[in-house]
Amino acid sequence: MLRMTRTSTAFGILLFFLLHTTSGESGSTSEDESDDELENIDVECFSQLEIKEDGHSLTCNFTELDLNNTNINLTICSTIIEKRICSTMEKQEGTYFLYFYGILSPKDVCVVLESNRPYCRSVEVTHIVKPETPFGINITFRKDANEYFIRYKTPHSKKKYLKDKLIHELAYRQENGTWETIHSQYLRVKLLGKSLQMGASYEVKVRSKPNGKYFKGIWSEWSSSEYFQSAAEHPITKSTDMVVVITTVGFILLFVTLVLILMFWKTRIKPVLWPKLPDHKKTLEQLCKKPKKNFDISFNPESFGYVHIHKVDGIQAKAEVECFLQPSAPLDADVSEKVCNGSDMKTSLSAVDKSILKLPVTYGGIWPSDTLSGHLCETHLSMLNESSNGIPYKVCSSNGTQLYNCGPMTHSSSSEDPTVQPRSGPLNTNTVSLIQPNNGIRSSNKDEAYVTMSSFCKNQ
Amino acid sequence: MFHVFFRSVFGILPLFVVLLPVNSSTCVMENTTVIREKYENILSHDIELLENMSEEYRDRCCRNKRHENPSAFFCNDTQEIRSLQNMACDMLKFFYKKKINKDFRWQTARVSCMTLEILHCRCDREQKNRKVCILLTQPSKDILGAQGPKKKCCQELCELKETISSLRSCWNKFEKEIAR
């Protein structure tokens, strides 16, 4: 009996709990429906840091407009040192607003529908940051670089948390054109002039956003627009082209100049800039140069058929040298009288070819026709007067006796020349000379010159 | 026999209740990466602002230093969190010192509460310190009361300046430690 009582009591208690549970579940359908409604409500929130001294703000709104008219409240709850603290947001024209002071811990955004159970969603206020709007756009045109330097400011530059944690977006467009954007993490942007149309009007505006490394969020509002006029011309491009052309031409000219200098350095430039000083030894060597290989040298008389050859018995070099060196002795009276005729000889001096007179007499050859006229004496005097370079001239016989003494005439050796000697005596048989016509005489002068020079070199 | 039983049972248990808070940690271990991020991006800026405010006050008169809690100035190796907790809790006591500038006290309390919040610590004087950090959530600073007469030399100010400097050094040391 006692057992049955205990069993029934236990069964009754169990049934009670079961009924209570089922009734509780059935009774909660209305609450579940409201919870489902709250779950479907989409609430968008964003935070603004340091908006008011040390305080931050949180702004929320509902995406579905129908709910704006219903009596819905939003509360923000946070846990501070294990204690939960909640604050109700202010309702301002469809949005909900609240100031708060802690950004380290997450906040619970709770939607409360009248007497229903609130629906909360956790948000991290550092991940829904909306920066303040930039301001103070300043546009400067740099003519030398042909670029537009745009600077702007942000209120966060003087605050703690978002100072260097923002990225900025600059948008520009031509009048009523499409927008183009540039991103920058700094408070300045450069627009190249060549990317803009010349002489057109442009509009510029800026906005900011957290860089996403720790602080995340959405774009701020656009700043107020600024307008500027692009330059009508691009002078820098013209000057740049001119500089390029001039530089290229300069390099080409320099290269050509260097090539020319290298080519003509030895032959033309160096002798002008650094002329060689005359060297006596080298000059002498050049004078005594051996004739070329192909030079037609032959001592065969037959090969010189076109040339009048004067045979030479002997070259009395020693006697001639003595004649050069010894002072002139008084002349034979007969000889001097016959030679020196007087004034006629003086007049004929001017017609005498000095080059012929200066030719040395090395052998008993034919004298020039001028000298044969017997003007030697006068010419001697005139030569003395006109030039002092001559050597006293003497006409000597083959036996060394001085036959005649004339003025300054250069000659290496002399031999007896009976044609020259104005004496009336018979010719010396040792001397052979031929009186040639004038043309022959002139050609023999050249030969005499050649022979004289060669004998000079031999004596050396 | 019964009184011996009750004495042994009910005598030991209170002893454990008293001894447990001494040995138990008042800080909950948190991910060091999260701690470093919060310090670098938020708390470091507030500590820098507090240091700038501290430098405005001259410390010429801070010669004879008398500290009520000397342990608050040491940042022990491998116990940086404990040291930071002691410093933060020690700074909270200045919240009601009217000899000190109101804004300076407000910023001091903010840094203390933020340090405790990042490290998930609480002070031994839990009731009083919790009240200060809750008061900081209010927008008005009237709770600080009227500021007392300004004095050129204030021993409490000297102590507070030194505590702020120690807190900054200990945070730098702890940050380098957890950044490895």
Side-chain angles (χ1 to χ4, degrees):
Chain A
M1 190 66 180
L2 185 61
R3 279 186 193 172
M4 287 181 67
T5 306
R6 290 177 183 175
T7 306
S8 61
T9 306
F11 182 74
I13 294 169
L14 183 61
L15 187 65
F16 172 75
F17 279 112
L18 286 172
L19 288 171
H20 181 73
T21 306
T22 51
S23 64
E25 288 178 358
S26 62
S28 65
T29 50
S30 60
E31 292 179 359
D32 289 342
E33 287 175 358
S34 64
D35 287 343
D36 291 337
E37 288 179 4
L38 289 174
E39 286 179 2
N40 294 328
I41 295 174
D42 191 11
V43 180
E44 287 185 354
C45 299
F46 64 85
S47 63
Q48 289 186 303
L49 306 182
E50 300 175 273
I51 193 71
K52 177 186 173 184
E53 291 184 357
D54 295 329
H56 320 288
S57 70
L58 184 67
T59 306
C60 297
N61 57 359
F62 296 99
T63 53
E64 295 179 11
L65 299 176
D66 294 338
L67 295 172
N68 287 336
N69 297 324
T70 56
N71 193 9
I72 298 177
N73 291 323
L74 287 176
T75 58
I76 304 298
C77 298
S78 57
T79 304
I80 298 174
I81 311 180
E82 299 175 359
K83 185 175 180 181
R84 192 167 178 84
I85 299 170
C86 294
S87 303
T88 304
M89 300 181 77
E90 295 180 21
K91 194 172 181 180
Q92 297 175 355
E93 298 178 355
T95 61
Y96 295 83
F97 185 84
L98 177 71
Y99 282 113
F100 66 97
Y101 290 89
I103 59 172
L104 288 171
S105 55
K107 311 287 184 207
D108 292 330
V109 180
C110 299
V111 180
V112 180
L113 265 176
E114 293 179 344
S115 59
N116 293 334
R117 193 173 64 187
Y119 171 74
C120 298
R121 190 170 63 183
S122 179
V123 292
E124 192 69 55
V125 293
T126 55
H127 292 175
I128 53 171
V129 177
K130 181 179 180 180
E132 292 185 61
T133 306
F135 66 99
I137 297 177
N138 184 12
I139 303 168
T140 307
F141 176 60
R142 292 181 173 175
K143 195 175 182 181
D144 54 345
N146 191 28
E147 59 185 18
Y148 296 88
F149 191 65
I150 301 173
R151 287 176 294 177
Y152 42 88
K153 299 176 185 178
T154 175
H156 293 282
S157 297
K158 297 181 181 179
K159 298 183 180 181
K160 294 180 293 186
Y161 302 131
L162 297 175
K163 187 176 180 180
D164 297 321
K165 308 273 177 65
L166 298 174
I167 55 172
H168 310 281
E169 184 182 56
L170 182 133
Y172 66 98
R173 69 169 181 179
Q174 202 173 348
E175 234 175 334
N176 300 324
T178 55
W179 287 101
E180 295 183 32
T181 58
I182 298 174
H183 289 87
S184 172
Q185 58 179 339
Y186 305 106
L187 296 175
R188 53 189 179 274
V189 173
K190 286 183 185 177
L191 279 181
L192 299 178
K194 60 182 181 182
S195 63
L196 303 178
Q197 194 172 351
M198 292 185 291
S201 177
Y202 282 85
E203 181 184 356
V204 175
K205 58 183 182 180
V206 186
R207 63 178 181 176
S208 305
K209 180 184 172 182
N211 60 9
K213 291 182 181 178
Y214 181 79
F215 294 100
K216 300 170 188 174
I218 57 176
W219 287 106
S220 68
E221 298 297 328
W222 284 107
S223 67
S224 56
S225 295
E226 288 292 329
Y227 299 88
F228 68 96
Q229 195 85 12
S230 61
E233 289 181 354
H234 294 304
I236 193 66
T237 55
K238 289 184 183 177
S239 63
T240 304
D241 293 338
M242 284 297 295
V243 168
V244 170
V245 170
I246 291 170
T247 307
T248 307
V249 172
F251 275 117
I252 292 170
L253 288 174
L254 184 66
F255 178 74
V256 170
T257 306
L258 285 173
V259 169
L260 289 174
I261 288 173
L262 288 172
M263 283 174 60
F264 297 108
W265 175 255
K266 285 187 178 179
T267 56
R268 296 189 183 184
I269 299 172
K270 192 178 177 183
V272 174
L273 297 176
W274 197 263
K276 287 184 178 178
L277 295 174
D279 190 354
H280 298 293
K281 183 179 178 183
K282 286 185 181 177
T283 306
L284 208 59
E285 287 174 358
Q286 286 178 356
L287 287 173
C288 297
K289 266 185 183 176
K290 290 181 181 179
K292 293 178 183 178
K293 289 182 181 178
N294 295 329
F295 193 79
D296 189 11
I297 298 175
S298 174
F299 293 97
N300 186 6
E302 294 177 359
S303 62
F304 291 95
Y306 63 93
V307 179
H308 297 285
I309 299 172
H310 305 278
K311 289 186 179 177
V312 178
D313 289 337
I315 298 174
Q316 299 179 356
K318 291 183 181 178
E320 290 164 355
V321 170
E322 290 174 359
C323 289
F324 280 125
L325 295 177
Q326 290 175 4
S328 59
L331 296 173
D332 188 359
D334 294 336
V335 174
S336 61
E337 288 177 1
K338 290 182 182 179
V339 172
C340 305
N341 286 328
S343 61
D344 293 339
M345 290 187 289
K346 290 183 183 178
T347 57
S348 65
L349 284 176
S350 60
V352 174
D353 187 7
K354 292 182 182 179
S355 62
I356 297 174
L357 288 173
K358 285 183 180 176
L359 291 174
V361 177
T362 59
Y363 63 99
I366 298 176
W367 283 86
S369 57
D370 295 331
T371 57
L372 290 174
S373 61
H375 291 170
L376 285 172
C377 199
E378 295 300 322
T379 56
H380 161 64
L381 294 173
S382 64
M383 291 303 290
L384 281 176
N385 293 328
E386 292 172 359
S387 67
S388 59
N389 293 331
I391 303 170
Y393 172 76
K394 298 176 184 177
V395 178
C396 301
S397 62
S398 60
N399 55 5
T401 57
Q402 182 177 337
L403 298 174
Y404 188 72
N405 186 14
C406 273
M409 289 183 73
T410 56
H411 64 286
S412 60
S413 62
S414 62
S415 178
E416 63 276 6
D417 186 5
T419 57
V420 178
Q421 298 172 9
R423 67 175 182 179
S424 59
L427 294 173
N428 193 343
T429 55
N430 291 331
T431 62
V432 177
S433 64
L434 295 173
I435 300 174
Q436 298 294 332
N438 290 332
N439 53 356
I441 293 172
R442 287 184 181 176
S443 63
S444 68
N445 292 333
K446 291 180 183 177
D447 296 335
E448 289 175 356
Y450 174 71
V451 176
T452 302
M453 289 299 296
S454 63
S455 64
F456 172 74
C457 292
K458 284 180 183 176
N459 290 333
Q460 291 293 322
Chain B
M1 187 154 178
F2 282 105
H3 59 276
V4 174
F5 170 77
F6 285 110
R7 202 187 303 164
S8 61
V9 169
F10 291 104
I12 297 172
L13 285 175
L15 188 65
F16 280 111
V17 173
V18 171
L19 290 176
L20 274 172
V22 176
N23 294 326
S24 65
S25 173
T26 55
C27 296
V28 177
M29 195 59 194
E30 179 61 87
N31 187 0
T32 54
T33 304
V34 175
I35 292 174
R36 187 170 61 87
E37 283 180 351
K38 289 183 178 179
Y39 169 74
E40 288 178 352
N41 291 283
I42 299 171
L43 182 58
S44 64
H45 301 293
D46 285 284
I47 292 176
E48 186 178 347
L49 176 62
L50 184 62
E51 278 191 320
N52 293 337
M53 295 173 73
S54 174
E55 287 175 2
E56 294 178 0
Y57 300 97
R58 296 180 183 179
D59 57 352
R60 287 184 303 180
C61 62
C62 299
R63 292 178 184 175
N64 301 323
K65 299 176 183 178
R66 293 175 294 159
H67 305 296
E68 294 180 5
N69 188 10
S71 63
F73 301 99
F74 298 105
C75 187
N76 300 324
D77 294 337
T78 67
Q79 293 184 353
E80 289 85 0
I81 295 177
R82 183 73 177 177
S83 301
L84 287 169
Q85 179 197 11
N86 291 335
M87 292 175 192
C89 293
D90 188 68
M91 285 163 63
L92 284 174
K93 73 182 181 185
F94 295 96
F95 186 74
Y96 296 105
K97 304 287 183 184
K98 294 183 180 180
K99 293 180 182 179
I100 302 172
N101 180 267
K102 188 190 295 186
D103 294 331
F104 192 26
R105 284 187 281 151
W106 185 269
Q107 186 64 20
T108 301
R110 276 173 56 84
V111 169
S112 300
C113 294
M114 291 169 76
T115 299
L116 295 170
E117 190 174 352
I118 290 173
L119 298 175
H120 291 272
C121 297
R122 62 176 186 268
C123 300
D124 297 333
R125 293 185 181 180
E126 186 176 333
Q127 202 68 17
K128 187 177 179 181
N129 295 329
R130 182 188 292 179
K131 188 180 176 183
V132 171
C133 294
I134 292 171
L135 289 173
L136 290 177
T137 60
Q138 305 299 321
S140 175
K141 293 182 181 178
D142 295 335
I143 53 174
L144 290 172
Q147 187 167 352
K150 291 183 182 179
K151 290 186 179 181
K152 290 183 180 180
C153 187
C154 177
Q155 189 60 36
E156 293 161 339
L157 181 63
C158 297
E159 189 176 340
L160 176 59
K161 282 162 64 70
E162 208 165 322
T163 308
I164 291 169
S165 179
S166 300
L167 181 78
R168 177 62 183 236
S169 301
C170 199
W171 262 116
N172 289 339
K173 183 180 175 184
F174 182 54
E175 185 198 10
K176 289 178 184 177
E177 191 69 32
I178 59 178
R180 292 180 183 177

